[in-house]
Amino acid sequence: MQEVTEKKEFTPNIVAFCCNWCSYAGADLAGSSRLTYPANVKIIRVPCSCRVNPMFVLKAFQQGADGVILCGCHPGDCYYVTGNYYTRRRMSLLYSFLNYMGIEKERTRVEWVSAAEGARFSAVMNDFVKQVTELGENRRLTDLRVKEGE
Amino acid sequence: MREVELKMKERAAELLQSGEVARVIGWKKGEFYFDPTPAVFESADELDGFVYNGFCGANLSKYLIQQSKKEGKTAIFLKPCDSFSFNQLVKEHRIKREDIYVIAIECQGKLDVEKLKEKGVSAVTEVEENGGEVVVSSLYGTVTLAKDEVLLSKCETCKSKVHQVKDEEIVFNEMQAGKKDRFEMVEKLEAMTEAERFAFWKEQLSKCIRCNACRNVCPACSCIKCVFDNPASGVAAKANDSEFEEQMFHIIRAFHVAGRCTDCGECSRVCPQNIPLHLLNRKFIKDIDTLYGEYQAGETADGKTPLTSYTESDAEPNDVMNGEAK
Ligand code: SF4
Ligand code: SF4
Ligand code: SF4
């Protein structure tokens, strides 16, 4: 007997940390320019990309994110002058470390998006969603209690 | 080691008697020969139980955080590796250099009682160090073993035999640095596939009983209130009830000490579950070395750390992930 299972198409949960001054404004511009990005990208506005504590990234995964992307002003353009330079080191090390623990490297990304780059924001998000969709569900870094009964 | 021990005891007595210091941090005899324990001596009379032998692997520097806040000067015995932790604590303003008298001591590598057991030696009553060999006496007789085979793993990769800080030193013989490459295993892991690495860490970390020994012993984990003592951290303070919590605790702890961990090896040494925690810290050390230039925490007591500095031309995270960063 053949088992019939309803195969739902996988839509990943994406958490995007966006800095208030550049990337969040970039997202806004994308919206007002009627450029689309997938609705499953959940934006979390932070004052600066540098505000993102590694714990936030892990928490996002814990709460069921399949991919986490961090967006900030281009290096050199940080509203707080140097914030994103620290972000750059921190995230290079964190993401490399997550990969060392066996977390697929396609699940994490950092992109610099300015307030004027609405089109780029939309392109980056579409691309990241596509990448995570191909990868499938995050199983390695997730809290089973959270995903249960979903 | 015997001569070193005698000299240390003598100096401890002199310093306490003259009132130059109010206390001395060293090791005292444990229940057995092979389990000396860190101890604070406040008078010369207490020095009866003072020991320094091949099992004094414990890094004493962290005890300074509490002890050096007390009235009067504190003297401490530091092995070369411990002196890195000392500098790091000064750098982070956990201790004040001027409150402490540092006595740099000889270390020829410390022994691992578990490895001795594997060699069939138990109930150790005395160990004599003799160049590349150790003569171990136990209730069952005396055996001679190659020292390299019974060293603590942190000593196999000993990074330096040079004390980074000292007020005086008690060193009679030349000290040998570790023979093994400390990044060998990190490289092996890096060469595995993601799935293999995940399986490796899952197996290792699922052994964790969250006893917190690794954190409590770590000189870099000197936070007055640790994030994991906050019930809102999302990680239970006791046994982990999900795989995620195991990973979270270890990832965050390793990240918190990144750029500050001196690779003193204490976390792995104390882990009752034998989890190779040094492989976590060494990944950060290796990445920092390759991406931002060689850096050894604790080499000096001042200057910037890799995560509190930057250059405009730092590698991009995406390039690092794709292996394209230089
Ligand atoms: S010492 Fe070992 S068992 Fe204890 S919390 Fe640390 S890793 Fe877990
Ligand atoms: S993390 Fe481990 S090796 Fe690093 S300083 Fe702490 S105890 Fe020492
Ligand atoms: S795990 Fe982090 S917060 Fe806790 S003591 Fe260590 S460095 Fe501090």
Side-chain angles (χ1 to χ4, degrees):
Chain A
M1 201 177 89
Q2 220 181 355
E3 208 181 319
V4 188
T5 44
E6 201 190 328
K7 199 158 184 285
K8 264 200 300 181
E9 209 188 314
F10 169 64
T11 44
N13 288 318
I14 303 290
V15 171
F17 292 100
C18 293
C19 85
N20 183 45
W21 305 99
C22 293
S23 307
Y24 194 79
D28 234 14
L29 182 63
S32 53
S33 316
R34 307 230 170 260
L35 293 164
T36 56
Y37 61 85
N40 44 348
V41 175
K42 308 286 186 312
I43 296 183
I44 298 179
R45 177 155 64 149
V46 286
C48 175
S49 62
C50 190
R51 174 68 183 90
V52 178
N53 177 327
M55 196 88 136
F56 296 180
V57 175
L58 293 186
K59 279 266 193 157
F61 282 123
Q62 179 188 27
Q63 308 288 318
D66 299 297
V68 173
I69 181 166
L70 198 145
C71 301
C73 312
H74 286 270
D77 289 341
C78 177
Y79 185 83
Y80 304 101
V81 190
T82 56
N84 54 6
Y85 285 124
Y86 296 104
T87 309
R88 190 160 62 173
R89 282 200 171 188
R90 221 175 270 166
M91 291 302 142
S92 292
L93 292 176
L94 178 70
Y95 287 176
S96 167
F97 189 77
L98 291 180
N99 187 242
Y100 179 71
M101 305 281 291
I103 310 311
E104 305 91 330
K105 66 173 189 242
E106 292 82 2
R107 289 200 194 282
T108 51
R109 206 194 271 194
V110 173
E111 292 288 351
W112 313 118
V113 179
S114 82
E117 294 176 319
R120 185 170 140 73
F121 183 87
S122 142
V124 159
M125 290 305 157
N126 280 304
D127 185 60
F128 188 57
V129 168
K130 186 165 157 273
Q131 182 177 312
V132 178
T133 308
E134 278 164 16
L135 195 61
E137 201 184 337
N138 160 35
R139 292 181 185 279
R140 294 189 183 159
L141 207 52
T142 186
D143 188 335
L144 299 175
R145 291 170 310 182
V146 175
K147 281 228 166 166
E148 241 164 29
E150 197 182 58
Chain B
M1 272 304 107
R2 194 81 193 128
E3 52 178 345
V4 180
E5 183 189 60
L6 287 173
K7 182 75 188 163
M8 284 166 63
K9 202 166 165 177
E10 186 189 310
R11 283 298 290 141
E14 283 167 13
L15 287 164
L16 286 168
Q17 267 155 2
S18 68
E20 238 177 286
V21 305
R23 67 198 67 79
V24 174
I25 305 179
W27 295 266
K28 75 170 184 213
K29 201 178 165 307
E31 202 169 336
F32 305 102
Y33 179 81
F34 53 83
D35 68 347
T37 167
V40 182
F41 302 90
E42 293 187 323
S43 77
D45 311 335
E46 294 170 23
L47 289 169
D48 281 348
F50 185 98
V51 287
Y52 183 61
N53 63 31
F55 294 103
C56 292
N59 175 352
L60 301 180
S61 58
K62 192 176 184 180
Y63 295 93
L64 285 169
I65 300 175
Q66 293 289 326
Q67 295 300 325
S68 69
K69 286 196 175 65
K70 297 182 183 163
E71 191 72 23
K73 244 189 165 176
T74 304
I76 188 162
F77 292 107
L78 296 181
K79 304 188 291 292
C81 56
D82 308 340
S83 69
F84 287 85
S85 310
F86 180 93
N87 271 345
Q88 191 63 25
L89 286 166
V90 172
K91 182 172 181 165
E92 293 171 7
H93 309 285
R94 292 300 198 217
I95 56 176
K96 288 202 193 99
R97 177 68 183 93
E98 60 273 21
D99 292 343
I100 300 148
Y101 188 77
V102 177
I103 307 171
I105 51 170
E106 180 176 328
C107 173
Q108 301 291 358
K110 297 297 166 199
L111 309 174
D112 187 337
V113 75
E114 299 300 326
K115 287 187 185 163
L116 282 171
K117 272 187 205 152
E118 279 164 28
K119 301 250 169 225
V121 186
S122 57
V124 178
T125 53
E126 170 112 51
V127 176
E128 291 235 26
E129 295 177 26
N130 184 8
E133 289 178 337
V134 282
V135 183
V136 189
S137 309
S138 72
L139 292 180
Y140 311 106
T142 302
V143 282
T144 303
L145 297 167
K147 192 175 195 172
D148 287 349
E149 290 174 19
V150 289
L151 281 180
L152 283 173
S153 67
K154 69 170 187 171
C155 302
E156 291 178 341
T157 56
C158 178
K159 60 187 171 286
S160 169
K161 286 293 189 190
V162 180
H163 288 94
Q164 306 299 305
V165 54
K166 66 185 164 200
D167 293 310
E168 72 170 73
E169 79 173 17
I170 301 177
V171 175
F172 294 111
N173 304 292
E174 201 191 315
M175 296 181 273
Q176 298 284 319
K179 292 185 182 139
K180 287 198 187 164
D181 171 14
R182 63 176 171 150
F183 295 121
E184 194 186 301
M185 193 54 201
V186 176
E187 277 159 15
K188 259 192 207 145
L189 276 164
E190 284 171 342
M192 291 179 183
T193 64
E194 286 168 343
E196 286 167 344
R197 281 200 293 271
F198 184 74
F200 172 86
W201 284 115
K202 185 172 164 178
E203 190 193 333
Q204 292 299 330
L205 299 184
S206 61
K207 297 190 289 190
C208 176
I209 51 172
R210 269 311 294 285
C211 65
N212 283 335
C214 51
R215 178 192 75 181
N216 295 352
V217 80
C218 173
C221 273
S222 55
C223 303
I224 291 163
K225 191 159 170 80
C226 171
V227 58
F228 295 113
D229 292 337
N230 174 357
S233 68
V235 180
K238 285 275 187 296
N240 302 288
D241 53 29
S242 81
E243 211 173 274
F244 174 82
E245 288 185 0
E246 284 150 10
Q247 293 162 329
M248 173 100 136
F249 173 69
H250 292 284
I251 295 168
I252 294 296
R253 200 186 87 79
F255 190 89
H256 283 186
V257 301
R260 305 166 49 234
C261 161
T262 61
D263 201 8
C264 73
E266 284 291 84
C267 44
S268 298
R269 185 182 67 84
V270 300
C271 177
Q273 298 294 84
N274 289 318
I275 300 172
L277 297 164
H278 54 280
L279 296 179
L280 298 174
N281 309 314
R282 283 182 187 166
K283 170 61 176 167
F284 276 115
I285 296 175
K286 185 168 177 284
D287 277 355
I288 288 171
D289 281 355
T290 33
L291 294 170
Y292 311 121
E294 295 232 345
Y295 180 80
Q296 171 60 55
E299 214 162 40
T300 57
D302 46 27
K304 291 211 161 192
T305 58
L307 277 158
T308 55
S309 51
Y310 65 87
T311 67
E312 285 175 13
S313 56
D314 279 342
E316 284 297 328
N318 296 343
D319 293 342
V320 172
M321 298 306 285
N322 296 322
E324 282 154 23
K326 42 219 150 6

